[in-house]
Each structure stands twice: as C-alpha cells, then as structure tokens.
Amino acid sequence: MSTLDGSIANVALPTMSQELSAPIHLIQWVLTAYLLTICATLPIMGKLSDLLGRTRVYLFGFLLFAFGSALCGMSHTLGFLIFSRIVQALGAACLMSNSQAIVAETFAKGDRGRALGIIGTVVSLGSLTGPGIGGILVDRFGWPTIFWINVPIGALAFLAGLVFLPKDSGRKREPFDYAGSGLFIVGMTAFLYILSNAQDWGWASAAVLAGGAGSLAVFACFYLWERRVRYPMLDFTLYRIPAFAVGNLTALLVFAANFFTTVMLPFYLQNVLGLTPESTGYFMMVYPITMAVVAPMSGFLSDKMGSKLLTTLGLAVTIGGFLCLTTVSANENRIALVSFLVLFGLGSGLFQSPNNASIMGAVPLPKLGSAGGLNALARNVGMVLGTSVSVSIYATGLRHYGGGAATPDPQAMISALHVVFWAGLAVCLLALSVSLRRLKL
C-alpha cells in the first residue's frame, strides 16, 4: 500500500487541480507532503518500533494509513487533502520502517535473502500497478476512490497481522528522544524542501544557499545532540558497522542513479519518439516487471553465496544499461529500447535483495527497527536527489543545446538527455566504488 500510494496519486493530479480549483504548483504538494513526511519520520518510526515492538508499530501503521486514506477521500479542499496525506504518510513510515525488520528477524536463521527478495518484488509491483490502477479509478469513479480503496485493504491487513505476525515480547523501559526527533524532522524537511525547489529558484539563489546552510546547521546540532544524549533517537554506532554503512550509502547512490532514468525516460519516449502516454506506460513497466522476477532469485542466491558478488554484478549490469542509454537516438529501435530497460530491471533485481540482506544481517536483533528505518530513508532520499538533480541537468542541457528556444528540437532534447544519462552513469560508478569496499569485509 505504501509504495502503491507513492505513485497512484500522480495520474490524478490534473483532475484534482481542476476539481479543487488549485494551480499545478500547489497541487504538487499532494505528492511532496507525502514524500517529505515519510523521509522526516522513517528513523523515528524505526526507533519507536525498537522501543514499543515492531509488530505493534507495524499494525498501527495499517490503521493510521487507512484512516489517513479515508480523510483523503473525504477532502474537499486542497489544505485538508495535504493534511490528510501527511497523516497517511505517517502510517506509511510505520510500514516501511518495519517490514524488512520483521522479515529479517523472522528469517534470522536462514532464507533471509529470499524473503527480502519477495519483499522487493512486492515493492516493485506496488510501484508498477499504481499509475494503471489510479488511471482506471480516476477515469471511472473519480479521484477520491484512489484513497478509499486503501481503507478495506488496510483493515484486512490489520486483522491478518493480528493472526499471523509474530507477537512482541514487551517494551523497553527507555525514554524517547523528543529533542533529537524534532531536530531531525526540521533538518530533513528543510533539506528536502530546498532540494525539491532548487531548480525553480536557482541553485545559486539566496534562498537555496541560505536554506541549505540552515538545514545543514540543524543537522550538525542534531548530530551533536545525539552524541551526548544517553538514549539517542538515531544510533550513530550503527554506521560503525562496515556492512551497514556501505550498504546504505550504496543504496542511496543507486536509487539516485536509477531515478535519472525513471524521471527522464518518459520525456524521451513522448517528446522525442512521439509515443502516447499509454505506450510510454507500457515501456516503463518493463523495468519493474524484470526486477520483480529477478529479486526473489537473487535473494535466494545471496543466502547460498553471500551478497558481495551479486551486488557488484548488479551494479555492473546497471552501468551497462546507462552506457546503452547514452547512445539513444530519435529513431531508436523499440526492441533495443526494451532490452535497455531489461538491463536496469536485471541490475536492480540483482543488487537490491542481497544489499538489503547484507544491511539487515549486519545489525543486532534489538536494533532491526532502527536499521530498517534508516535503510528506507536512504532509498527515499536517493529518489529525491535523483529527481531534483536529473531535472536540473536536463533543463540546463536544453538551454545549452536548444539555444534558449521555448520549444527545443528533438536533437537538442536527445543531447540534453545524453548528458543526464552520462551523469547517472557517473553516480552509478561512484556507487560501485563504494560497494567494492564490502569485498574487503
């Protein structure tokens, strides 16, 4: 549900804008508020699950997500809809921070990689089906139904969890770090808000420079506070575990690189090749379908042979995919293009399940909730970074190759896209150089 709702609202934005009488630059907050809230609260929900119990927080997440979805469905103003999306995102953070932790603890004695691989498949299917399901619901029943559909699913998931999920042993008698949590929320929200708007405001503008400096100052205060408090919200000692630190940094870079393609390929398919939005959707499905097939198999293999070779191989395949995209033209063969997207799905499927198994297998069982929250945070921050940086590079490239024309020609678009894909390749190479450190562990 949490990954599905990250993409299902995209197709409804034009309809929401019209029916709520809200301009596009404001209706975008339906997406932005959801993402910012998740990123700002993931580590906090992970810490709470270590204190209160992972299953308890996970099940509460279903209830909160369903409640927020109902509020979204009842919204008649943009302000209330954004507030409802924040409530929904808090539930999503409970789910995202605990799903891997519950699986990792349950399969601590074996098959952890395969189990996490199945989780990866579910995540891919959620992202894959979101736009399609959303388009059907909006077209036939109206935009509120994309949120109402979550209510019965959330209720059933809560009841199933009561029956099937492992019972929590008890609560830790440990105070919660309210000050640290507040500093993290302020710092992360400010940082991602500045990053999301940097292209519109200008990367060298006073607002971006001052906001960036301010968010970094808050993060510095947060770090100093966490180092001195007895029971910190974010346990920085986790990053002293090499496999955990390498896995999280690599995941952040990989998701940033992959979003160079996720964000930019629709521009290429529609504006250069002239495909319809429906055909573009079919092409974009190739990536997650391939990943959904490969992820469980790579997870199974990681249980047998470890994660080092598989993660390296996955990154090498992704680099091959970027190399192929740097050669695309205005008359690209459709079969060749599908094969390029298969490479990205294969690379991600080979990398993610073993990488997640390596991260979750490196931390002590009592800290699995915190580890799961930080792992999910790395993914989400990577997505925001990839989106913001790729859009900025593309816009700069269009101005350069298009000569400042209001409607650049296809060749200018291709030249700008080539720069974006080369930049994505550079990020992926950086991820590979970080990942190779695990060979020495």
Side-chain angles (χ1 to χ4, degrees):
M1 288 200 310
S2 54
T3 56
L4 180 75
D5 245 65
S7 60
I8 197 173
N10 296 23
V11 295
L13 289 184
T15 306
M16 291 179 184
S17 177
Q18 183 179 6
E19 295 188 9
L20 297 176
S21 301
I24 283 293
H25 73 278
L26 291 181
I27 205 70
Q28 286 288 343
W29 273 97
V30 174
L31 302 179
T32 305
Y34 184 79
L35 181 61
L36 288 181
T37 303
I38 288 175
C39 289
T41 57
L42 271 171
I44 296 170
M45 297 306 180
K47 178 64 176 180
L48 282 174
S49 71
D50 286 337
L51 296 178
L52 304 178
R54 282 182 269 281
T55 298
R56 188 176 290 114
V57 173
Y58 190 65
L59 291 177
F60 176 72
F62 278 117
L63 294 180
L64 188 59
F65 192 91
F67 176 66
S69 297
L71 292 179
C72 289
M74 293 186 290
S75 299
H76 296 290
T77 65
L78 178 60
F80 190 74
L81 178 58
I82 292 172
F83 166 78
S84 303
R85 284 285 275 177
I86 292 173
V87 175
Q88 192 186 41
L90 291 172
C94 293
L95 300 175
M96 289 182 177
S97 61
N98 283 286
S99 60
Q100 287 186 0
I102 291 173
V103 169
E105 184 173 14
T106 303
F107 292 89
K109 296 181 179 179
D111 291 334
R112 176 182 282 168
R114 182 167 57 172
L116 289 172
I118 295 172
I119 291 289
T121 295
V122 173
V123 169
S124 296
L125 291 176
S127 303
L128 164 69
T129 56
I133 293 174
I136 294 171
L137 291 175
V138 171
D139 187 52
R140 299 189 181 184
F141 305 106
W143 67 262
T145 55
I146 67 174
F147 300 114
W148 281 116
I149 194 175
N150 292 322
V151 177
I153 296 173
L156 288 173
F158 173 78
L159 294 175
L162 288 177
V163 176
F164 295 111
L165 290 181
K167 307 303 179 185
D168 293 316
S169 57
R171 304 187 181 193
K172 284 186 179 179
R173 297 184 178 276
E174 180 180 312
F176 184 70
D177 181 15
Y178 292 100
S181 300
L183 286 170
F184 182 84
I185 289 173
V186 171
M188 182 57 69
T189 303
F191 174 72
L192 294 180
Y193 179 75
I194 295 295
L195 193 64
S196 300
N197 290 281
Q199 172 58 33
D200 294 331
W201 298 347
W203 287 89
S205 65
V208 171
L209 294 177
S215 61
L216 291 177
V218 174
F219 277 133
C221 293
F222 167 72
Y223 176 76
L224 293 174
W225 172 262
E226 295 298 278
R227 290 298 301 271
R228 61 174 293 211
V229 71
R230 185 177 179 184
Y231 298 104
M233 182 277 289
L234 197 159
D235 188 357
F236 280 98
T237 60
L238 287 174
Y239 290 100
R240 297 177 187 170
I241 303 173
F244 180 84
V246 169
N248 271 284
L249 180 56
T250 308
L252 187 149
L253 293 170
V254 167
F255 272 87
N258 283 340
F259 261 65
F260 276 50
T261 60
T262 302
V263 173
M264 287 294 113
L265 275 177
F267 287 94
Y268 170 70
L269 294 171
Q270 294 185 50
N271 297 343
V272 178
L273 298 185
L275 299 184
T276 64
E278 181 180 358
S279 297
T280 298
Y282 290 139
F283 266 98
M284 296 302 292
M285 286 168 61
V286 173
Y287 176 1
I289 286 177
T290 306
M291 180 183 166
V293 173
V294 174
M297 293 188 290
S298 68
F300 171 77
L301 289 174
S302 71
D303 290 328
K304 305 298 181 183
M305 56 188 293
S307 61
K308 299 177 181 180
L309 179 61
L310 290 168
T311 51
T312 303
L313 179 60
L315 288 171
V317 172
T318 303
I319 289 170
F322 273 111
L323 283 172
C324 292
L325 287 182
T326 59
T327 67
V328 294
S329 66
N331 301 301
E332 192 64 48
N333 182 280
R334 302 300 194 265
I335 296 177
L337 195 56
V338 168
S339 67
F340 298 165
L341 293 173
V342 167
L343 285 177
F344 280 97
L346 177 60
S348 292
L350 286 171
F351 170 81
Q352 288 188 29
S353 300
N355 191 62
N356 289 337
S358 173
I359 291 171
M360 302 305 289
V363 300
L365 287 179
K367 296 182 179 180
L368 280 175
S370 296
L374 292 173
N375 189 20
L377 177 65
R379 295 196 304 269
N380 283 274
V381 172
M383 293 176 191
V384 178
L385 281 170
T387 301
S388 302
V389 175
S390 63
V391 168
S392 182
I393 294 174
Y394 181 64
T396 303
L398 281 183
R399 287 195 297 270
H400 176 75
Y401 293 107
T407 54
D409 59 69
Q411 189 54 50
M413 295 181 190
I414 290 175
S415 298
L417 285 168
H418 283 171
V419 176
V420 173
F421 296 143
W422 278 113
L425 174 62
V427 175
C428 206
L429 284 171
L430 179 59
L432 179 60
S433 67
V434 174
S435 185
L436 286 174
R437 292 180 60 87
R438 74 178 87 218
L439 298 178
K440 302 177 182 178
L441 301 180

mmCIF file with all atom_site columns, all heavy atoms in Angstrom, residues 47 50-52 171-177 230-233:
data_model
loop_
_atom_site.group_PDB
_atom_site.id
_atom_site.type_symbol
_atom_site.label_atom_id
_atom_site.label_alt_id
_atom_site.label_comp_id
_atom_site.label_asym_id
_atom_site.label_entity_id
_atom_site.label_seq_id
_atom_site.pdbx_PDB_ins_code
_atom_site.Cartn_x
_atom_site.Cartn_y
_atom_site.Cartn_z
_atom_site.occupancy
_atom_site.B_iso_or_equiv
_atom_site.pdbx_formal_charge
_atom_site.auth_seq_id
_atom_site.auth_comp_id
_atom_site.auth_asym_id
_atom_site.auth_atom_id
_atom_site.pdbx_PDB_model_num
ATOM 1   N N   . LYS A 1 47  ? 12.897 3.702  15.410 1.00 0.00 ? 47  LYS A N   1
ATOM 2   C CA  . LYS A 1 47  ? 13.296 3.730  16.824 1.00 0.00 ? 47  LYS A CA  1
ATOM 3   C C   . LYS A 1 47  ? 12.115 3.366  17.721 1.00 0.00 ? 47  LYS A C   1
ATOM 4   O O   . LYS A 1 47  ? 12.268 2.598  18.691 1.00 0.00 ? 47  LYS A O   1
ATOM 5   C CB  . LYS A 1 47  ? 13.822 5.122  17.176 1.00 0.00 ? 47  LYS A CB  1
ATOM 6   C CG  . LYS A 1 47  ? 14.231 5.284  18.637 1.00 0.00 ? 47  LYS A CG  1
ATOM 7   C CD  . LYS A 1 47  ? 15.403 4.383  18.986 1.00 0.00 ? 47  LYS A CD  1
ATOM 8   C CE  . LYS A 1 47  ? 15.871 4.613  20.414 1.00 0.00 ? 47  LYS A CE  1
ATOM 9   N NZ  . LYS A 1 47  ? 17.017 3.755  20.773 1.00 0.00 ? 47  LYS A NZ  1
ATOM 10  N N   . ASP A 1 50  ? 11.609 -0.304 17.905 1.00 0.00 ? 50  ASP A N   1
ATOM 11  C CA  . ASP A 1 50  ? 12.553 -0.987 18.794 1.00 0.00 ? 50  ASP A CA  1
ATOM 12  C C   . ASP A 1 50  ? 12.135 -0.850 20.251 1.00 0.00 ? 50  ASP A C   1
ATOM 13  O O   . ASP A 1 50  ? 12.411 -1.735 21.072 1.00 0.00 ? 50  ASP A O   1
ATOM 14  C CB  . ASP A 1 50  ? 13.959 -0.413 18.603 1.00 0.00 ? 50  ASP A CB  1
ATOM 15  C CG  . ASP A 1 50  ? 14.600 -0.859 17.290 1.00 0.00 ? 50  ASP A CG  1
ATOM 16  O OD1 . ASP A 1 50  ? 14.181 -1.899 16.754 1.00 0.00 ? 50  ASP A OD1 1
ATOM 17  O OD2 . ASP A 1 50  ? 15.506 -0.163 16.812 1.00 0.00 ? 50  ASP A OD2 1
ATOM 18  N N   . LEU A 1 51  ? 11.474 0.269  20.584 1.00 0.00 ? 51  LEU A N   1
ATOM 19  C CA  . LEU A 1 51  ? 11.052 0.509  21.967 1.00 0.00 ? 51  LEU A CA  1
ATOM 20  C C   . LEU A 1 51  ? 9.716  -0.158 22.281 1.00 0.00 ? 51  LEU A C   1
ATOM 21  O O   . LEU A 1 51  ? 9.552  -0.753 23.348 1.00 0.00 ? 51  LEU A O   1
ATOM 22  C CB  . LEU A 1 51  ? 10.941 2.018  22.220 1.00 0.00 ? 51  LEU A CB  1
ATOM 23  C CG  . LEU A 1 51  ? 12.230 2.845  22.131 1.00 0.00 ? 51  LEU A CG  1
ATOM 24  C CD1 . LEU A 1 51  ? 11.923 4.326  22.353 1.00 0.00 ? 51  LEU A CD1 1
ATOM 25  C CD2 . LEU A 1 51  ? 13.256 2.365  23.149 1.00 0.00 ? 51  LEU A CD2 1
ATOM 26  N N   . LEU A 1 52  ? 8.747  -0.033 21.360 1.00 0.00 ? 52  LEU A N   1
ATOM 27  C CA  . LEU A 1 52  ? 7.383  -0.477 21.640 1.00 0.00 ? 52  LEU A CA  1
ATOM 28  C C   . LEU A 1 52  ? 7.072  -1.848 21.083 1.00 0.00 ? 52  LEU A C   1
ATOM 29  O O   . LEU A 1 52  ? 6.082  -2.472 21.490 1.00 0.00 ? 52  LEU A O   1
ATOM 30  C CB  . LEU A 1 52  ? 6.380  0.539  21.068 1.00 0.00 ? 52  LEU A CB  1
ATOM 31  C CG  . LEU A 1 52  ? 6.539  1.987  21.531 1.00 0.00 ? 52  LEU A CG  1
ATOM 32  C CD1 . LEU A 1 52  ? 5.507  2.882  20.841 1.00 0.00 ? 52  LEU A CD1 1
ATOM 33  C CD2 . LEU A 1 52  ? 6.401  2.084  23.047 1.00 0.00 ? 52  LEU A CD2 1
ATOM 34  N N   . ARG A 1 171 ? 8.013  -4.178 26.015 1.00 0.00 ? 171 ARG A N   1
ATOM 35  C CA  . ARG A 1 171 ? 8.500  -2.840 25.720 1.00 0.00 ? 171 ARG A CA  1
ATOM 36  C C   . ARG A 1 171 ? 9.792  -2.575 26.477 1.00 0.00 ? 171 ARG A C   1
ATOM 37  O O   . ARG A 1 171 ? 9.997  -3.067 27.580 1.00 0.00 ? 171 ARG A O   1
ATOM 38  C CB  . ARG A 1 171 ? 7.461  -1.786 26.128 1.00 0.00 ? 171 ARG A CB  1
ATOM 39  C CG  . ARG A 1 171 ? 6.091  -1.986 25.497 1.00 0.00 ? 171 ARG A CG  1
ATOM 40  C CD  . ARG A 1 171 ? 5.182  -0.817 25.824 1.00 0.00 ? 171 ARG A CD  1
ATOM 41  N NE  . ARG A 1 171 ? 3.847  -0.996 25.258 1.00 0.00 ? 171 ARG A NE  1
ATOM 42  C CZ  . ARG A 1 171 ? 2.939  -0.037 25.180 1.00 0.00 ? 171 ARG A CZ  1
ATOM 43  N NH1 . ARG A 1 171 ? 3.226  1.165  25.645 1.00 0.00 ? 171 ARG A NH1 1
ATOM 44  N NH2 . ARG A 1 171 ? 1.751  -0.261 24.665 1.00 0.00 ? 171 ARG A NH2 1
ATOM 45  N N   . LYS A 1 172 ? 10.650 -1.777 25.852 1.00 0.00 ? 172 LYS A N   1
ATOM 46  C CA  . LYS A 1 172 ? 11.866 -1.358 26.526 1.00 0.00 ? 172 LYS A CA  1
ATOM 47  C C   . LYS A 1 172 ? 11.564 -0.196 27.462 1.00 0.00 ? 172 LYS A C   1
ATOM 48  O O   . LYS A 1 172 ? 10.839 0.727  27.115 1.00 0.00 ? 172 LYS A O   1
ATOM 49  C CB  . LYS A 1 172 ? 12.924 -0.918 25.510 1.00 0.00 ? 172 LYS A CB  1
ATOM 50  C CG  . LYS A 1 172 ? 13.606 -2.044 24.775 1.00 0.00 ? 172 LYS A CG  1
ATOM 51  C CD  . LYS A 1 172 ? 14.736 -1.468 23.923 1.00 0.00 ? 172 LYS A CD  1
ATOM 52  C CE  . LYS A 1 172 ? 15.464 -2.581 23.177 1.00 0.00 ? 172 LYS A CE  1
ATOM 53  N NZ  . LYS A 1 172 ? 16.559 -2.019 22.336 1.00 0.00 ? 172 LYS A NZ  1
ATOM 54  N N   . ARG A 1 173 ? 12.136 -0.244 28.639 1.00 0.00 ? 173 ARG A N   1
ATOM 55  C CA  . ARG A 1 173 ? 11.991 0.878  29.579 1.00 0.00 ? 173 ARG A CA  1
ATOM 56  C C   . ARG A 1 173 ? 13.090 1.893  29.280 1.00 0.00 ? 173 ARG A C   1
ATOM 57  O O   . ARG A 1 173 ? 14.126 1.915  29.929 1.00 0.00 ? 173 ARG A O   1
ATOM 58  C CB  . ARG A 1 173 ? 12.067 0.377  31.015 1.00 0.00 ? 173 ARG A CB  1
ATOM 59  C CG  . ARG A 1 173 ? 10.934 -0.569 31.378 1.00 0.00 ? 173 ARG A CG  1
ATOM 60  C CD  . ARG A 1 173 ? 10.979 -0.977 32.831 1.00 0.00 ? 173 ARG A CD  1
ATOM 61  N NE  . ARG A 1 173 ? 9.865  -1.845 33.185 1.00 0.00 ? 173 ARG A NE  1
ATOM 62  C CZ  . ARG A 1 173 ? 8.666  -1.403 33.526 1.00 0.00 ? 173 ARG A CZ  1
ATOM 63  N NH1 . ARG A 1 173 ? 8.437  -0.107 33.563 1.00 0.00 ? 173 ARG A NH1 1
ATOM 64  N NH2 . ARG A 1 173 ? 7.703  -2.252 33.830 1.00 0.00 ? 173 ARG A NH2 1
ATOM 65  N N   . GLU A 1 174 ? 12.844 2.689  28.260 1.00 0.00 ? 174 GLU A N   1
ATOM 66  C CA  . GLU A 1 174 ? 13.850 3.633  27.785 1.00 0.00 ? 174 GLU A CA  1
ATOM 67  C C   . GLU A 1 174 ? 13.149 4.904  27.333 1.00 0.00 ? 174 GLU A C   1
ATOM 68  O O   . GLU A 1 174 ? 12.173 4.848  26.579 1.00 0.00 ? 174 GLU A O   1
ATOM 69  C CB  . GLU A 1 174 ? 14.630 2.999  26.622 1.00 0.00 ? 174 GLU A CB  1
ATOM 70  C CG  . GLU A 1 174 ? 15.698 3.860  26.019 1.00 0.00 ? 174 GLU A CG  1
ATOM 71  C CD  . GLU A 1 174 ? 16.406 3.149  24.871 1.00 0.00 ? 174 GLU A CD  1
ATOM 72  O OE1 . GLU A 1 174 ? 16.794 1.978  25.051 1.00 0.00 ? 174 GLU A OE1 1
ATOM 73  O OE2 . GLU A 1 174 ? 16.562 3.770  23.798 1.00 0.00 ? 174 GLU A OE2 1
ATOM 74  N N   . PRO A 1 175 ? 13.586 6.072  27.786 1.00 0.00 ? 175 PRO A N   1
ATOM 75  C CA  . PRO A 1 175 ? 12.923 7.325  27.387 1.00 0.00 ? 175 PRO A CA  1
ATOM 76  C C   . PRO A 1 175 ? 13.102 7.603  25.898 1.00 0.00 ? 175 PRO A C   1
ATOM 77  O O   . PRO A 1 175 ? 14.104 7.219  25.301 1.00 0.00 ? 175 PRO A O   1
ATOM 78  C CB  . PRO A 1 175 ? 13.620 8.386  28.242 1.00 0.00 ? 175 PRO A CB  1
ATOM 79  C CG  . PRO A 1 175 ? 14.954 7.798  28.569 1.00 0.00 ? 175 PRO A CG  1
ATOM 80  C CD  . PRO A 1 175 ? 14.728 6.320  28.687 1.00 0.00 ? 175 PRO A CD  1
ATOM 81  N N   . PHE A 1 176 ? 12.113 8.284  25.319 1.00 0.00 ? 176 PHE A N   1
ATOM 82  C CA  . PHE A 1 176 ? 12.188 8.628  23.901 1.00 0.00 ? 176 PHE A CA  1
ATOM 83  C C   . PHE A 1 176 ? 12.870 9.985  23.732 1.00 0.00 ? 176 PHE A C   1
ATOM 84  O O   . PHE A 1 176 ? 12.663 10.908 24.515 1.00 0.00 ? 176 PHE A O   1
ATOM 85  C CB  . PHE A 1 176 ? 10.783 8.675  23.299 1.00 0.00 ? 176 PHE A CB  1
ATOM 86  C CG  . PHE A 1 176 ? 10.772 8.930  21.814 1.00 0.00 ? 176 PHE A CG  1
ATOM 87  C CD1 . PHE A 1 176 ? 11.214 7.971  20.939 1.00 0.00 ? 176 PHE A CD1 1
ATOM 88  C CD2 . PHE A 1 176 ? 10.343 10.149 21.320 1.00 0.00 ? 176 PHE A CD2 1
ATOM 89  C CE1 . PHE A 1 176 ? 11.212 8.202  19.575 1.00 0.00 ? 176 PHE A CE1 1
ATOM 90  C CE2 . PHE A 1 176 ? 10.339 10.399 19.971 1.00 0.00 ? 176 PHE A CE2 1
ATOM 91  C CZ  . PHE A 1 176 ? 10.770 9.423  19.085 1.00 0.00 ? 176 PHE A CZ  1
ATOM 92  N N   . ASP A 1 177 ? 13.666 10.101 22.692 1.00 0.00 ? 177 ASP A N   1
ATOM 93  C CA  . ASP A 1 177 ? 14.455 11.310 22.429 1.00 0.00 ? 177 ASP A CA  1
ATOM 94  C C   . ASP A 1 177 ? 13.622 12.313 21.629 1.00 0.00 ? 177 ASP A C   1
ATOM 95  O O   . ASP A 1 177 ? 13.710 12.381 20.403 1.00 0.00 ? 177 ASP A O   1
ATOM 96  C CB  . ASP A 1 177 ? 15.735 10.924 21.682 1.00 0.00 ? 177 ASP A CB  1
ATOM 97  C CG  . ASP A 1 177 ? 16.623 12.118 21.380 1.00 0.00 ? 177 ASP A CG  1
ATOM 98  O OD1 . ASP A 1 177 ? 16.411 13.180 21.971 1.00 0.00 ? 177 ASP A OD1 1
ATOM 99  O OD2 . ASP A 1 177 ? 17.523 11.975 20.530 1.00 0.00 ? 177 ASP A OD2 1
ATOM 100 N N   . ARG A 1 230 ? 21.919 10.090 26.321 1.00 0.00 ? 230 ARG A N   1
ATOM 101 C CA  . ARG A 1 230 ? 22.113 8.696  26.716 1.00 0.00 ? 230 ARG A CA  1
ATOM 102 C C   . ARG A 1 230 ? 21.312 7.733  25.847 1.00 0.00 ? 230 ARG A C   1
ATOM 103 O O   . ARG A 1 230 ? 21.783 6.646  25.512 1.00 0.00 ? 230 ARG A O   1
ATOM 104 C CB  . ARG A 1 230 ? 21.707 8.518  28.183 1.00 0.00 ? 230 ARG A CB  1
ATOM 105 C CG  . ARG A 1 230 ? 21.979 7.123  28.714 1.00 0.00 ? 230 ARG A CG  1
ATOM 106 C CD  . ARG A 1 230 ? 21.636 6.999  30.188 1.00 0.00 ? 230 ARG A CD  1
ATOM 107 N NE  . ARG A 1 230 ? 21.881 5.644  30.674 1.00 0.00 ? 230 ARG A NE  1
ATOM 108 C CZ  . ARG A 1 230 ? 21.596 5.235  31.902 1.00 0.00 ? 230 ARG A CZ  1
ATOM 109 N NH1 . ARG A 1 230 ? 21.073 6.100  32.778 1.00 0.00 ? 230 ARG A NH1 1
ATOM 110 N NH2 . ARG A 1 230 ? 21.844 3.999  32.269 1.00 0.00 ? 230 ARG A NH2 1
ATOM 111 N N   . TYR A 1 231 ? 20.090 8.115  25.479 1.00 0.00 ? 231 TYR A N   1
ATOM 112 C CA  . TYR A 1 231 ? 19.247 7.256  24.648 1.00 0.00 ? 231 TYR A CA  1
ATOM 113 C C   . TYR A 1 231 ? 18.889 8.011  23.364 1.00 0.00 ? 231 TYR A C   1
ATOM 114 O O   . TYR A 1 231 ? 17.817 8.611  23.271 1.00 0.00 ? 231 TYR A O   1
ATOM 115 C CB  . TYR A 1 231 ? 17.977 6.849  25.404 1.00 0.00 ? 231 TYR A CB  1
ATOM 116 C CG  . TYR A 1 231 ? 18.246 6.044  26.652 1.00 0.00 ? 231 TYR A CG  1
ATOM 117 C CD1 . TYR A 1 231 ? 18.138 6.618  27.919 1.00 0.00 ? 231 TYR A CD1 1
ATOM 118 C CD2 . TYR A 1 231 ? 18.609 4.700  26.570 1.00 0.00 ? 231 TYR A CD2 1
ATOM 119 C CE1 . TYR A 1 231 ? 18.384 5.877  29.069 1.00 0.00 ? 231 TYR A CE1 1
ATOM 120 C CE2 . TYR A 1 231 ? 18.864 3.953  27.711 1.00 0.00 ? 231 TYR A CE2 1
ATOM 121 C CZ  . TYR A 1 231 ? 18.750 4.549  28.962 1.00 0.00 ? 231 TYR A CZ  1
ATOM 122 O OH  . TYR A 1 231 ? 18.993 3.812  30.086 1.00 0.00 ? 231 TYR A OH  1
ATOM 123 N N   . PRO A 1 232 ? 19.756 7.989  22.362 1.00 0.00 ? 232 PRO A N   1
ATOM 124 C CA  . PRO A 1 232 ? 19.522 8.775  21.148 1.00 0.00 ? 232 PRO A CA  1
ATOM 125 C C   . PRO A 1 232 ? 18.422 8.185  20.270 1.00 0.00 ? 232 PRO A C   1
ATOM 126 O O   . PRO A 1 232 ? 18.167 6.979  20.294 1.00 0.00 ? 232 PRO A O   1
ATOM 127 C CB  . PRO A 1 232 ? 20.877 8.713  20.431 1.00 0.00 ? 232 PRO A CB  1
ATOM 128 C CG  . PRO A 1 232 ? 21.480 7.420  20.878 1.00 0.00 ? 232 PRO A CG  1
ATOM 129 C CD  . PRO A 1 232 ? 21.029 7.243  22.310 1.00 0.00 ? 232 PRO A CD  1
ATOM 130 N N   . MET A 1 233 ? 17.791 9.076  19.484 1.00 0.00 ? 233 MET A N   1
ATOM 131 C CA  . MET A 1 233 ? 16.793 8.616  18.521 1.00 0.00 ? 233 MET A CA  1
ATOM 132 C C   . MET A 1 233 ? 17.460 7.849  17.389 1.00 0.00 ? 233 MET A C   1
ATOM 133 O O   . MET A 1 233 ? 16.967 6.821  16.928 1.00 0.00 ? 233 MET A O   1
ATOM 134 C CB  . MET A 1 233 ? 16.020 9.831  17.968 1.00 0.00 ? 233 MET A CB  1
ATOM 135 C CG  . MET A 1 233 ? 14.910 9.482  16.977 1.00 0.00 ? 233 MET A CG  1
ATOM 136 S SD  . MET A 1 233 ? 15.458 9.233  15.270 1.00 0.00 ? 233 MET A SD  1
ATOM 137 C CE  . MET A 1 233 ? 15.874 10.902 14.815 1.00 0.00 ? 233 MET A CE  1
#
